[in-house]
Amino acid sequence: MSRQQGSERSFVVTGGARGIGAAIAARLTQDGHVVVIDTADTLGDSARPSTELVTGDAGDPAIASSAAEQAESVAPLAGWVNNAAIFRDASLTTATAADILALIDANLRLAVTGCHTAVGHFTHRDRPGAIVNVSSHQAQRPVRGALPYATAKAAIEGLTRAVAVDHGPNGIRTNAVALGAIATARLDEYRSTHPEVDAQLAELQPLGQAGTADEVATVVAFLLSGAAAFINGAILPVDGGRSVNGPDPEAAARPR
């Protein structure tokens, strides 16, 4: 891709070739140039003229640094989105402690590496910037069987607050979005064998349905924008009210 200084800002999105990450990358092209880090060989759903791909592990500091430099070569890097994640269930009775720790590390490493790279890039240039970490409602309310994922997401929310406190004085804002059920190919695959999932989601998420990847992308773009200039260290639920819903066996008997 030819290097032109036409964009005012650039962004890095990890795990941005498909799903929620692709929607985030596509939305951010409205605000500048986007570099996606993904293990995929092609951009897939996020293919846009102002998007380019760095293929590799977002948890690898060399890959992350390369993406930051690619973004900077087009326009000043202004925002970083740690979206990449690994979904693999394990429990204390079916896996070894070492295996569980490896799964936790696999997810946490992605966010730590991204934050480390972004903060280093911004501070080296004495520039403000913004980071958004993608978390989950499971950080506060785990789903049975997803212990490594829930543990990693809880740690990522702690990381978000700590980076906000440590580097807020440098003008670096760090926030997170905690997602509920979002309509993606992964949910569609689950729905094909569990047709009851839509009714269950309607009970869990007070708005009555799964969210969309575009709705998540809109919130992420807001947190990276100047409109969120005084928001730092926040964990913003994007879950249709799932995190505040208190299921109760007597609820059905109450009038609505």
Side-chain angles (χ1 to χ4, degrees), residues 87-91 94-95 103 138 143-149 186:
F87 302 94
R88 196 172 305 152
D89 292 347
S91 76
T94 62
L103 289 173
Q138 291 205 52
V143 170
R144 187 172 296 154
L147 183 150
Y149 182 78
R186 187 167 175 266

Side-chain angles (χ1 to χ4, degrees), residues 76-255:
L77 180 63
W80 188 289
V81 182
N82 287 310
N83 167 74
I86 295 171
F87 302 94
R88 196 172 305 152
D89 292 347
S91 76
L92 297 176
T93 57
T94 62
T96 66
D99 288 341
I100 290 171
L101 285 168
L103 289 173
I104 294 169
D105 175 72
N107 271 302
L108 185 55
R109 179 171 52 88
L110 293 164
V112 171
T113 300
C115 287
H116 187 274
T117 303
V119 167
H121 191 94
F122 297 143
T123 56
H124 178 70
R125 291 162 177 78
D126 194 24
R127 177 192 302 160
I131 300 168
V132 175
N133 295 322
V134 177
S135 183
S136 165
H137 67 94
Q138 291 205 52
Q140 300 298 322
R141 290 182 151 185
V143 170
R144 187 172 296 154
L147 183 150
Y149 182 78
T151 302
K153 289 302 186 182
I156 287 170
E157 292 191 1
L159 172 71
T160 299
R161 297 183 183 100
V163 176
V165 170
D166 283 353
H167 299 287
N170 304 107
I172 300 170
R173 299 183 301 104
T174 307
N175 297 291
V177 287
L179 308 186
I182 305 298
T184 61
R186 187 167 175 266
L187 179 59
D188 287 342
E189 182 180 354
Y190 184 83
R191 183 184 283 118
S192 68
T193 55
H194 298 79
E196 72 281 2
V197 69
D198 289 321
Q200 293 171 340
L201 287 177
E203 289 297 319
L204 286 170
Q205 301 191 165
L207 288 182
Q209 61 191 17
T212 69
D214 287 341
E215 288 167 336
V216 175
T218 297
V219 177
V220 171
F222 163 71
L223 289 173
L224 292 174
S225 76
F230 204 56
I231 301 177
N232 187 37
I235 312 298
L236 182 58
V238 185
D239 63 2
R242 182 170 183 165
S243 58
V244 296
N245 188 21
D248 186 329
E250 297 180 7
R254 297 192 183 106

